[in-house]
Amino acid sequence: MSDKPSVLFVCVHNAGRSQMAAGWLTHLAGGRIEVRSAGSAPAESVNPVAVEAMREVGIDITGATPKVLTAEAVQESDVVVTMGCGDACPFFPGRRYEDWKLDDPAGQGIEAVRPIRDEIRARVERLIAELPPA
């Protein structure tokens, strides 16, 4: 493990919420936090509406790809934030777990995804404030 705190964002498809959260954390933390994301049943690609919503705020997540959730990813993370994957996420003692109740952007238009994006930003900002510095 590195000296930096690490955060893993998990949702079912790793295509919307977790990708936006990873984008926000990468952008806002300025390299102080290791960022991961994964899904219990990853999609083929990131939700294009999530990509567009993030582009509107100057964050490019076009290079992101949905990844399979592994026990190793959980074990290597200090904080695991789940977004609707529930019991599919492995549990390891000593990790901090948070479950963020967020609407799923899948199948939604940009108008519906913007408030989800903004809610994720607010939660990511709170999370950064709570994490110890490296």
Side-chain angles (χ1 to χ4, degrees):
M1 254 197 243
S2 75
D3 293 342
K4 322 188 229 198
S6 58
V7 177
L8 170 65
F9 294 106
V10 182
C11 66
V12 176
H13 300 298
N14 190 217
R17 295 166 290 190
S18 55
Q19 293 288 359
M20 288 192 288
W24 274 123
L25 185 56
T26 300
H27 178 75
L28 296 170
R32 295 188 330 262
I33 299 168
E34 198 172 318
V35 182
R36 300 181 178 96
S37 71
S40 50
E44 290 292 312
S45 61
V46 175
N47 179 336
V49 182
V51 171
E52 178 59 29
M54 294 302 283
R55 184 179 295 127
E56 289 180 351
V57 294
I59 299 173
D60 182 6
I61 61 169
T62 54
T65 53
K67 291 173 269 327
V68 167
L69 174 65
T70 64
E72 293 77 30
V74 175
Q75 224 169 350
E76 293 170 2
S77 301
D78 299 307
V79 180
V80 179
V81 178
T82 57
M83 304 169 184
C85 77
D87 298 336
C89 191
F91 181 84
F92 290 95
R95 302 291 167 273
R96 173 176 158 191
Y97 289 85
E98 288 188 19
D99 186 44
W100 292 359
K101 303 273 188 259
L102 296 160
D103 290 335
D104 189 345
Q108 306 272 0
I110 190 75
E111 296 76 22
V113 174
R114 285 182 186 122
I116 300 168
R117 172 200 67 203
D118 297 342
E119 172 68 17
I120 291 170
R121 178 186 181 139
R123 290 177 187 227
V124 165
E125 287 173 338
R126 282 195 297 275
L127 181 63
I128 292 169
E130 294 167 359
L131 287 175

